[in-house]
Amino acid sequence: MGMVRTLSGIQPTGNLHIGNYLGALVNWVKLQEQYDAYFCVVDLHALTQRPDPEVLRSAVRELAIGVLASGVDPERSTLFVQSQVRQHAELAWIMMCLTPLGDLNRMTQFKDKSTQQPENINAGLFTYPVLQTADIALYRPEAVPVGEDQDQHLELARETIRRFNFTYGGDVFPEPKTVKSQAPRVMGLDGESKMSKSKNNEIGLFETDEETMKKLRGAKTDPARERRTDKGTPEVCNIYSYHGFFSTKEQRDEVAEGCRSASLGCVDCKKLLAQNMEAVKGPIRERAADLRSKPGQVDEILAAGAAKARKTAEETMVMVRERIGIAGGKA
Ligand code: TYM
């Protein structure tokens, strides 16, 4: 019996931020210990934004570097680029024929994206969750680690997978469960919406200490606390929520007490946070710099990952083609 599989994906658009790290990558690193793990840089998904080809190429590489620097170990996990495994597009079409239009109409991300890029509301944007379903189904994983913003897409994937099994008899695909981290929804610096590449409210994973502190200085705190002498309510403060992810229990207690009694100012609270974030980001930044200096090594990792992913994907497709009656299944 082989190990149970896990699969997840991440888009090469913009830079990695601490939402991606805490919401997804932390779990990728953890799950690779016990699962046969597949992690995918989803460049086909990024095409929905029609990126410049050179920008896309370098974003894919940078993202792969970021994933590796965050602790995904190519000896344990299969890290690959989606477009290097053609079966994703093939299965996406098949899944599309099993997905009711009404289900796609309900997707909130499509509505958000249509507002964000009104000049380019393409069909890919609408069928995006079906490609995601195919990404998942191809590897027949039991667990998919993602942040909360992917809940709706994963529910759709489960429904489509169920429909496939029901329609074509069977047991081709297990139903994948969603695996959440301790931080399934990290808020952005605006304190109003989730941290997101498209909202310009993020703390980058590769940012230096100074860059982070600069952003934190302008970040929202408890809105009722205007002066240093005002007492604050940590529970409503976005900065305090970040302490929850980066600071020790003692530090959090001290910060909370200092805020409530006004003995600790917001600037000092932010400085401590920046310092604790740096303890996480610093080593990742260093590993990324090292990987950037060895492009051949990254290419090799991605080529080996794609070869392994293709093999697994093709095994699935042989079964799928046979079940649905198209060419390319078992003779
Ligand atoms: P993407 O590239 O937007 O985000 C990658 C991962 O980071 C998580 N995430 C967050 N978690 C917590 N708080 C936040 N503020 C935050 N922002 C992002 C996301 O939930 C995600 O886990 N459609 C997917 C990519 C994808 C995929 C897949 C995922 C394509 N195929 C198959 C799983 C399985 C996306 O756009 O993620």
Side-chain angles (χ1 to χ4, degrees):
M1 261 285 282
M3 274 161 104
V4 175
R5 288 208 191 106
T6 185
L7 169 290
S8 197
I10 186 162
Q11 280 206 69
T13 41
N15 295 322
L16 278 174
H17 53 68
I18 62 161
N20 299 131
Y21 179 72
L22 297 170
L25 293 174
V26 162
N27 258 352
W28 294 16
V29 173
K30 218 186 272 169
L31 293 182
Q32 68 182 348
E33 304 287 335
Q34 16 158 346
Y35 284 88
D36 180 18
Y38 286 76
F39 299 124
C40 180
V41 176
V42 295
D43 54 348
L44 295 177
H45 280 89
L47 294 179
T48 53
Q49 295 178 36
R50 213 168 294 160
D52 173 84
E54 275 317 309
V55 171
L56 179 60
R57 246 187 289 277
S58 76
V60 165
R61 162 171 290 277
E62 255 306 290
L63 184 54
I65 287 173
V67 170
L68 292 166
S70 298
V72 165
D73 174 2
E75 299 287 324
R76 289 174 195 268
S77 300
T78 304
L79 175 66
F80 65 102
V81 179
Q82 185 187 30
S83 61
Q84 292 189 10
V85 183
R86 309 284 191 227
Q87 287 84 347
H88 286 253
E90 182 185 3
L91 187 57
W93 175 255
I94 293 165
M95 292 303 193
M96 225 168 311
C97 298
L98 284 166
T99 309
L101 219 52
D103 286 11
L104 292 179
N105 264 328
R106 286 205 310 272
M107 296 292 121
T108 53
Q109 191 169 305
F110 172 68
K111 291 173 196 157
D112 291 349
K113 285 269 147 71
S114 311
T115 321
Q116 275 162 27
Q117 51 182 74
E119 72 299 339
N120 181 19
I121 307 177
N122 58 76
L125 216 48
F126 188 64
T127 55
Y128 177 112
V130 188
L131 179 57
Q132 183 162 347
T133 300
D135 299 339
I136 296 169
L138 262 186
Y139 302 92
R140 287 168 280 137
E142 301 215 340
V144 180
V146 284
E148 196 175 277
D149 58 348
Q150 296 302 314
D151 276 351
Q152 214 186 17
H153 289 168
L154 259 69
E155 197 43 50
L156 180 92
R158 276 188 287 272
E159 274 165 25
T160 313
I161 281 171
R162 252 178 255 142
R163 198 171 295 116
F164 183 99
N165 285 340
F166 179 77
T167 310
Y168 294 109
D171 47 358
V172 176
F173 302 117
E175 239 180 73
K177 66 171 192 285
T178 306
V179 181
K180 298 272 181 62
S181 75
Q182 307 282 73
R185 184 177 158 89
V186 177
M187 296 301 283
L189 282 164
D190 52 8
E192 278 158 21
S193 44
K194 68 157 188 156
M195 190 171 287
S196 162
K197 294 162 194 170
S198 54
K199 287 264 163 63
N200 207 11
N201 63 2
E202 78 258 43
I203 297 179
L205 193 57
F206 297 139
E207 266 173 29
T208 62
D209 204 5
E210 296 82 53
E211 285 165 331
T212 301
M213 191 54 211
K214 211 166 143 201
K215 286 190 183 172
L216 287 177
R217 267 181 213 284
K220 282 240 176 78
T221 55
D222 169 1
R225 194 178 185 197
E226 286 170 7
R227 284 172 298 269
R228 197 183 197 286
T229 48
D230 293 341
K231 292 182 177 166
T233 311
E235 290 72 22
V236 301
C237 178
N238 194 32
I239 299 296
Y240 184 69
S241 78
Y242 295 149
H243 274 288
F245 308 129
F246 292 97
S247 304
T248 63
K249 167 93 175 62
E250 291 77 55
Q251 286 174 328
R252 291 202 302 273
D253 289 348
E254 265 173 46
V255 164
E257 179 44 35
C259 177
R260 280 191 202 103
S261 63
S263 61
L264 178 78
C266 289
V267 174
D268 290 329
C269 169
K270 288 174 174 176
K271 273 191 190 148
L272 176 66
L273 175 65
Q275 191 185 312
N276 290 346
M277 281 185 172
E278 177 60 14
V280 173
K281 290 190 282 119
I284 294 177
R285 211 165 51 235
E286 269 171 39
R287 283 196 291 273
D290 185 49
L291 286 162
R292 264 182 222 115
S293 72
K294 298 171 183 158
Q297 191 182 332
V298 177
D299 287 341
E300 269 173 37
I301 291 170
L302 293 176
K308 179 147 178 255
R310 271 194 293 269
K311 191 164 168 291
T312 306
E314 184 55 19
E315 281 165 16
T316 304
M317 287 313 299
V318 168
M319 282 192 275
V320 168
R321 293 181 200 120
E322 190 199 6
R323 291 288 172 107
I324 67 177
I326 61 169
K330 274 183 246 146

Coordinates of all heavy atoms in Angstrom, one line a residue, residues 74-136:
P74 N 12.0 18.8 -1.8 CA 11.8 18.0 -3.1 C 12.1 16.6 -2.9 O 11.7 15.8 -3.8 CB 12.7 18.7 -4.1 CG 13.7 19.5 -3.3 CD 13.0 19.8 -2.0
E75 N 12.8 16.2 -1.9 CA 13.0 14.8 -1.6 C 11.8 14.1 -1.2 O 11.6 12.8 -1.3 CB 14.1 14.6 -0.5 CG 15.5 15.2 -0.9 CD 16.2 14.4 -1.9 OE1 16.1 13.2 -1.9 OE2 16.9 15.0 -2.8
R76 N 10.9 14.8 -0.5 CA 9.7 14.2 0.0 C 8.5 14.5 -0.9 O 7.6 13.7 -1.0 CB 9.3 14.8 1.4 CG 10.3 14.4 2.5 CD 9.9 15.2 3.7 NE 10.9 15.2 4.7 CZ 10.9 14.3 5.7 NH1 10.0 13.4 5.8 NH2 11.9 14.3 6.5
S77 N 8.4 15.7 -1.4 CA 7.2 16.2 -2.1 C 7.5 16.3 -3.6 O 8.7 16.4 -4.0 CB 6.8 17.6 -1.7 OG 6.6 17.6 -0.3
T78 N 6.4 16.2 -4.4 CA 6.6 16.4 -5.8 C 6.1 17.8 -6.1 O 4.9 18.1 -6.0 CB 5.6 15.4 -6.5 OG1 6.0 14.1 -6.1 CG2 5.8 15.5 -8.0
L79 N 7.1 18.7 -6.5 CA 6.7 20.1 -6.8 C 6.8 20.2 -8.3 O 7.9 19.9 -8.9 CB 7.7 21.0 -6.1 CG 7.6 22.5 -6.4 CD1 6.3 23.1 -5.9 CD2 8.8 23.3 -5.8
F80 N 5.8 20.7 -8.9 CA 5.8 20.8 -10.4 C 4.9 22.0 -10.9 O 4.2 22.6 -10.1 CB 5.2 19.5 -11.0 CG 3.8 19.2 -10.7 CD1 2.8 19.5 -11.6 CD2 3.4 18.7 -9.4 CE1 1.5 19.2 -11.3 CE2 2.1 18.5 -9.1 CZ 1.1 18.7 -10.1
V81 N 5.1 22.3 -12.1 CA 4.4 23.4 -12.8 C 3.2 22.8 -13.6 O 3.4 21.9 -14.4 CB 5.3 24.2 -13.7 CG1 4.6 25.3 -14.4 CG2 6.5 24.8 -12.9
Q82 N 2.1 23.3 -13.3 CA 0.8 22.7 -13.9 C 0.9 22.5 -15.4 O 0.5 21.5 -16.0 CB -0.3 23.7 -13.6 CG -1.7 23.3 -14.0 CD -2.7 24.4 -13.7 OE1 -2.3 25.6 -13.8 NE2 -3.9 24.1 -13.4
S83 N 1.4 23.5 -16.2 CA 1.4 23.5 -17.6 C 2.3 22.4 -18.1 O 2.3 22.0 -19.3 CB 1.8 24.8 -18.2 OG 3.1 25.2 -17.8
Q84 N 3.2 21.9 -17.3 CA 4.1 20.8 -17.7 C 3.4 19.4 -17.7 O 4.0 18.4 -18.0 CB 5.4 20.8 -16.9 CG 6.2 22.0 -17.2 CD 7.6 21.9 -16.6 OE1 8.0 20.9 -16.0 NE2 8.3 23.0 -16.6
V85 N 2.2 19.4 -17.2 CA 1.4 18.2 -17.1 C 0.1 18.4 -17.9 O -0.8 18.9 -17.4 CB 1.2 17.8 -15.6 CG1 0.5 16.4 -15.5 CG2 2.5 17.7 -14.8
R86 N 0.1 18.0 -19.2 CA -1.0 18.3 -20.1 C -2.3 17.8 -19.6 O -3.4 18.2 -20.1 CB -0.7 17.8 -21.5 CG 0.7 18.2 -22.0 CD 0.7 19.7 -22.5 NE 1.9 19.9 -23.2 CZ 2.7 21.0 -23.0 NH1 2.4 21.8 -22.1 NH2 3.8 21.1 -23.7
Q87 N -2.3 16.7 -18.8 CA -3.5 16.1 -18.4 C -4.4 17.0 -17.6 O -5.6 16.7 -17.6 CB -3.2 14.8 -17.6 CG -2.6 13.6 -18.3 CD -1.1 13.7 -18.6 OE1 -0.5 14.7 -18.4 NE2 -0.5 12.6 -19.0
H88 N -3.9 18.1 -17.0 CA -4.7 19.0 -16.3 C -5.8 19.6 -17.2 O -7.0 19.6 -16.9 CB -3.9 20.1 -15.7 CG -3.1 19.7 -14.5 ND1 -3.4 20.1 -13.2 CD2 -2.0 18.9 -14.4 CE1 -2.6 19.5 -12.4 NE2 -1.7 18.9 -13.1
A89 N -5.4 20.0 -18.4 CA -6.3 20.6 -19.3 C -7.3 19.6 -19.9 O -8.5 19.9 -20.1 CB -5.5 21.3 -20.5
E90 N -6.8 18.4 -20.1 CA -7.7 17.3 -20.6 C -8.8 17.0 -19.6 O -10.0 16.9 -19.9 CB -6.9 16.1 -20.9 CG -7.7 14.9 -21.5 CD -7.0 13.6 -21.7 OE1 -5.8 13.5 -21.4 OE2 -7.6 12.7 -22.2
L91 N -8.4 16.8 -18.4 CA -9.4 16.4 -17.4 C -10.3 17.6 -17.1 O -11.5 17.4 -16.7 CB -8.7 15.9 -16.1 CG -9.7 15.3 -15.0 CD1 -10.6 14.2 -15.5 CD2 -8.9 14.9 -13.8
A92 N -9.8 18.8 -17.2 CA -10.7 20.0 -17.0 C -11.8 20.0 -17.9 O -13.0 20.3 -17.6 CB -9.9 21.3 -17.1
W93 N -11.6 19.6 -19.2 CA -12.7 19.6 -20.2 C -13.7 18.5 -19.8 O -14.9 18.8 -19.8 CB -12.2 19.3 -21.6 CG -13.3 19.1 -22.5 CD1 -13.8 18.0 -23.1 CD2 -14.2 20.2 -23.0 NE1 -14.9 18.2 -23.8 CE2 -15.1 19.6 -23.8 CE3 -14.2 21.6 -22.8 CZ2 -16.2 20.3 -24.4 CZ3 -15.2 22.3 -23.4 CH2 -16.2 21.7 -24.2
I94 N -13.2 17.4 -19.4 CA -14.1 16.3 -19.0 C -15.0 16.7 -17.8 O -16.2 16.5 -17.7 CB -13.3 15.0 -18.7 CG1 -12.7 14.5 -20.0 CG2 -14.2 13.9 -18.0 CD1 -11.6 13.5 -19.8
M95 N -14.3 17.4 -16.8 CA -15.0 17.8 -15.6 C -16.0 18.9 -16.0 O -17.1 19.1 -15.3 CB -14.1 18.3 -14.5 CG -13.2 17.2 -13.9 SD -14.3 15.9 -13.2 CE -13.1 15.0 -12.3
M96 N -15.7 19.7 -17.0 CA -16.5 20.8 -17.4 C -17.9 20.3 -17.9 O -18.9 20.9 -17.6 CB -15.9 21.6 -18.5 CG -16.0 23.1 -18.3 SD -15.1 24.2 -19.3 CE -13.5 23.7 -19.3
C97 N -17.8 19.1 -18.5 CA -19.1 18.5 -19.0 C -19.9 17.9 -17.9 O -21.0 17.4 -18.1 CB -18.7 17.5 -20.1 SG -17.9 18.2 -21.5
L98 N -19.4 17.9 -16.7 CA -20.1 17.3 -15.5 C -20.5 18.4 -14.6 O -21.0 18.2 -13.5 CB -19.2 16.3 -14.8 CG -19.0 14.9 -15.4 CD1 -17.8 14.2 -14.7 CD2 -20.3 14.1 -15.3
T99 N -20.2 19.7 -14.9 CA -20.4 20.8 -14.0 C -21.6 21.6 -14.4 O -21.5 22.2 -15.5 CB -19.2 21.7 -13.8 OG1 -18.0 20.9 -13.6 CG2 -19.3 22.7 -12.7
P100 N -22.7 21.7 -13.7 CA -23.8 22.5 -14.1 C -23.4 24.0 -14.0 O -22.7 24.5 -13.1 CB -24.8 22.3 -13.0 CG -24.4 21.1 -12.2 CD -22.9 21.0 -12.4
L101 N -23.9 24.7 -15.0 CA -23.6 26.2 -15.1 C -24.0 26.9 -13.8 O -23.3 27.8 -13.4 CB -24.4 26.7 -16.3 CG -23.8 27.8 -17.2 CD1 -22.4 27.3 -17.6 CD2 -24.7 28.1 -18.3
G102 N -25.1 26.4 -13.2 CA -25.7 27.1 -12.0 C -24.7 27.0 -10.9 O -24.6 27.9 -10.1
D103 N -23.9 25.9 -10.8 CA -22.9 25.8 -9.7 C -21.8 26.9 -9.9 O -21.4 27.5 -8.9 CB -22.3 24.4 -9.8 CG -23.2 23.3 -9.2 OD1 -24.4 23.6 -9.1 OD2 -22.8 22.2 -9.0
L104 N -21.4 27.1 -11.2 CA -20.3 28.1 -11.4 C -20.9 29.5 -11.2 O -20.1 30.3 -10.7 CB -19.8 27.9 -12.8 CG -19.0 26.6 -13.1 CD1 -18.6 26.6 -14.6 CD2 -17.8 26.5 -12.2
N105 N -22.1 29.7 -11.4 CA -22.7 31.0 -11.2 C -22.7 31.4 -9.8 O -22.8 32.6 -9.5 CB -24.2 31.0 -11.7 CG -24.3 31.5 -13.1 OD1 -23.6 32.3 -13.5 ND2 -25.3 30.9 -13.9
R106 N -22.7 30.5 -8.9 CA -22.7 30.8 -7.5 C -21.3 31.2 -6.9 O -21.2 31.6 -5.8 CB -23.2 29.6 -6.7 CG -24.7 29.3 -6.8 CD -25.2 28.6 -5.6 NE -24.3 27.4 -5.3 CZ -24.5 26.2 -5.8 NH1 -25.6 26.0 -6.6 NH2 -23.8 25.2 -5.5
M107 N -20.2 31.0 -7.7 CA -18.9 31.2 -7.2 C -18.6 32.7 -6.9 O -18.6 33.5 -7.8 CB -17.8 30.6 -8.1 CG -17.9 29.2 -8.4 SD -17.4 28.2 -6.9 CE -18.9 27.3 -6.7
T108 N -18.3 32.9 -5.6 CA -18.1 34.3 -5.2 C -16.8 34.9 -5.8 O -16.7 36.1 -6.1 CB -18.1 34.5 -3.7 OG1 -17.2 33.6 -3.2 CG2 -19.5 34.3 -3.1
Q109 N -15.8 34.0 -6.0 CA -14.5 34.5 -6.5 C -14.7 35.0 -7.9 O -14.0 36.0 -8.3 CB -13.5 33.4 -6.4 CG -12.1 34.0 -6.7 CD -10.9 33.0 -6.4 OE1 -10.8 32.5 -5.3 NE2 -10.1 32.7 -7.4
F110 N -15.6 34.4 -8.7 CA -15.8 34.8 -10.1 C -16.4 36.2 -10.0 O -16.0 37.1 -10.8 CB -16.7 33.9 -10.8 CG -17.1 34.4 -12.2 CD1 -16.2 34.6 -13.2 CD2 -18.4 34.9 -12.4 CE1 -16.6 35.1 -14.4 CE2 -18.8 35.4 -13.6 CZ -17.9 35.5 -14.6
K111 N -17.3 36.4 -9.1 CA -17.9 37.8 -9.0 C -16.9 38.8 -8.6 O -16.8 39.9 -9.1 CB -19.1 37.7 -8.0 CG -20.2 36.9 -8.5 CD -21.3 36.7 -7.4 CE -22.3 35.6 -7.9 NZ -23.0 35.0 -6.8
D112 N -16.0 38.4 -7.6 CA -14.9 39.4 -7.2 C -14.0 39.7 -8.3 O -13.7 40.9 -8.5 CB -14.1 38.7 -6.0 CG -14.9 38.6 -4.7 OD1 -16.0 39.2 -4.7 OD2 -14.4 37.9 -3.8
K113 N -13.6 38.7 -9.0 CA -12.6 38.9 -10.1 C -13.2 39.7 -11.2 O -12.5 40.5 -11.8 CB -12.1 37.5 -10.6 CG -11.1 36.8 -9.7 CD -9.7 37.2 -10.0 CE -8.7 37.3 -8.8 NZ -8.3 36.1 -8.2
S114 N -14.5 39.5 -11.5 CA -15.1 40.2 -12.5 C -15.2 41.7 -12.2 O -15.1 42.6 -13.1 CB -16.6 39.8 -12.8 OG -16.6 38.4 -12.9
T115 N -15.3 42.0 -10.9 CA -15.2 43.4 -10.5 C -13.8 44.0 -10.6 O -13.6 45.1 -11.0 CB -15.7 43.5 -9.0 OG1 -16.8 42.6 -8.8 CG2 -16.1 44.9 -8.7
Q116 N -12.8 43.1 -10.3 CA -11.4 43.5 -10.3 C -10.9 43.8 -11.7 O -10.1 44.6 -11.9 CB -10.5 42.5 -9.6 CG -10.5 42.6 -8.1 CD -9.9 41.4 -7.5 OE1 -9.2 40.6 -8.1 NE2 -10.3 41.1 -6.2
Q117 N -11.4 42.9 -12.6 CA -10.9 43.1 -14.0 C -12.0 43.2 -15.0 O -12.2 42.3 -15.8 CB -9.9 42.0 -14.4 CG -10.3 40.6 -14.1 CD -9.2 39.5 -14.4 OE1 -8.3 39.4 -13.7 NE2 -9.4 38.8 -15.5
P118 N -12.8 44.3 -14.9 CA -14.1 44.3 -15.7 C -13.8 44.3 -17.2 O -14.6 44.0 -18.0 CB -14.7 45.7 -15.3 CG -13.6 46.4 -14.6 CD -12.6 45.4 -14.1
E119 N -12.5 44.7 -17.6 CA -12.2 44.8 -19.0 C -11.8 43.4 -19.6 O -11.6 43.3 -20.7 CB -11.0 45.8 -19.2 CG -9.6 45.3 -18.7 CD -9.5 45.1 -17.2 OE1 -10.3 45.5 -16.4 OE2 -8.6 44.3 -16.9
N120 N -11.7 42.4 -18.7 CA -11.3 41.1 -19.1 C -12.1 40.0 -18.4 O -11.5 39.2 -17.7 CB -9.8 40.9 -19.0 CG -9.3 39.6 -19.5 OD1 -9.9 38.9 -20.2 ND2 -8.1 39.2 -19.0
I121 N -13.4 39.9 -18.6 CA -14.1 38.8 -17.9 C -14.2 37.7 -18.9 O -15.2 37.6 -19.7 CB -15.5 39.4 -17.5 CG1 -15.4 40.6 -16.7 CG2 -16.3 38.3 -16.7 CD1 -16.7 41.3 -16.2
N122 N -13.2 36.9 -18.9 CA -13.1 35.8 -19.9 C -13.7 34.5 -19.4 O -14.0 34.4 -18.2 CB -11.6 35.6 -20.4 CG -10.7 35.3 -19.2 OD1 -10.7 34.2 -18.7 ND2 -10.0 36.3 -18.7
A123 N -13.9 33.6 -20.3 CA -14.6 32.3 -20.0 C -13.7 31.5 -19.0 O -14.2 30.8 -18.1 CB -14.9 31.5 -21.2
G124 N -12.4 31.7 -19.1 CA -11.5 31.0 -18.2 C -11.7 31.4 -16.7 O -11.6 30.6 -15.8
L125 N -12.0 32.7 -16.5 CA -12.3 33.2 -15.2 C -13.5 32.5 -14.6 O -13.6 32.2 -13.4 CB -12.6 34.7 -15.3 CG -12.1 35.6 -14.2 CD1 -10.7 35.4 -13.8 CD2 -12.3 37.1 -14.7
F126 N -14.5 32.2 -15.5 CA -15.7 31.6 -15.1 C -15.5 30.1 -14.8 O -16.1 29.5 -13.8 CB -16.8 31.8 -16.2 CG -18.2 31.3 -15.8 CD1 -18.8 31.9 -14.7 CD2 -18.8 30.3 -16.4 CE1 -20.1 31.5 -14.4 CE2 -20.1 29.9 -16.1 CZ -20.7 30.5 -15.0
T127 N -14.7 29.4 -15.6 CA -14.6 28.0 -15.5 C -13.3 27.6 -14.6 O -13.0 26.4 -14.5 CB -14.4 27.3 -16.9 OG1 -13.4 27.9 -17.6 CG2 -15.7 27.4 -17.7
Y128 N -12.7 28.6 -14.1 CA -11.5 28.4 -13.3 C -11.7 27.3 -12.2 O -10.8 26.4 -12.1 CB -11.3 29.8 -12.6 CG -10.1 29.9 -11.6 CD1 -9.0 30.6 -11.9 CD2 -10.2 29.3 -10.3 CE1 -8.0 30.7 -11.0 CE2 -9.2 29.4 -9.4 CZ -8.1 30.1 -9.7 OH -7.1 30.2 -8.8
P129 N -12.8 27.3 -11.5 CA -13.0 26.2 -10.5 C -13.0 24.8 -11.0 O -12.7 23.8 -10.3 CB -14.3 26.5 -9.8 CG -14.7 27.9 -10.2 CD -14.0 28.2 -11.5
V130 N -13.4 24.7 -12.3 CA -13.4 23.4 -12.9 C -11.9 22.9 -13.2 O -11.6 21.7 -13.0 CB -14.2 23.3 -14.2 CG1 -14.4 21.9 -14.7 CG2 -15.5 24.0 -14.1
L131 N -11.1 23.8 -13.6 CA -9.7 23.4 -13.8 C -9.1 23.0 -12.4 O -8.3 22.1 -12.3 CB -8.9 24.6 -14.4 CG -7.4 24.4 -14.6 CD1 -7.1 23.2 -15.5 CD2 -6.8 25.7 -15.2
Q132 N -9.5 23.8 -11.4 CA -9.1 23.4 -10.0 C -9.5 22.0 -9.6 O -8.8 21.3 -9.0 CB -9.5 24.5 -9.0 CG -9.1 24.3 -7.6 CD -9.1 25.5 -6.7 OE1 -9.3 26.6 -7.2 NE2 -9.0 25.3 -5.5
T133 N -10.8 21.7 -10.0 CA -11.3 20.3 -9.7 C -10.4 19.3 -10.4 O -10.1 18.3 -9.8 CB -12.7 20.2 -10.3 OG1 -13.5 21.2 -9.6 CG2 -13.3 18.8 -10.0
A134 N -10.0 19.6 -11.7 CA -9.2 18.7 -12.4 C -7.8 18.5 -11.7 O -7.3 17.4 -11.6 CB -9.1 19.1 -13.8
D135 N -7.3 19.7 -11.3 CA -5.9 19.7 -10.6 C -6.0 18.6 -9.5 O -5.1 17.9 -9.2 CB -5.6 21.0 -10.0 CG -5.5 22.1 -11.0 OD1 -5.3 21.9 -12.2 OD2 -5.7 23.3 -10.5
I136 N -7.1 18.7 -8.7 CA -7.2 17.9 -7.5 C -7.5 16.4 -8.0 O -6.7 15.5 -7.6 CB -8.4 18.4 -6.7 CG1 -8.1 19.8 -6.1 CG2 -8.6 17.4 -5.5 CD1 -9.2 20.5 -5.5

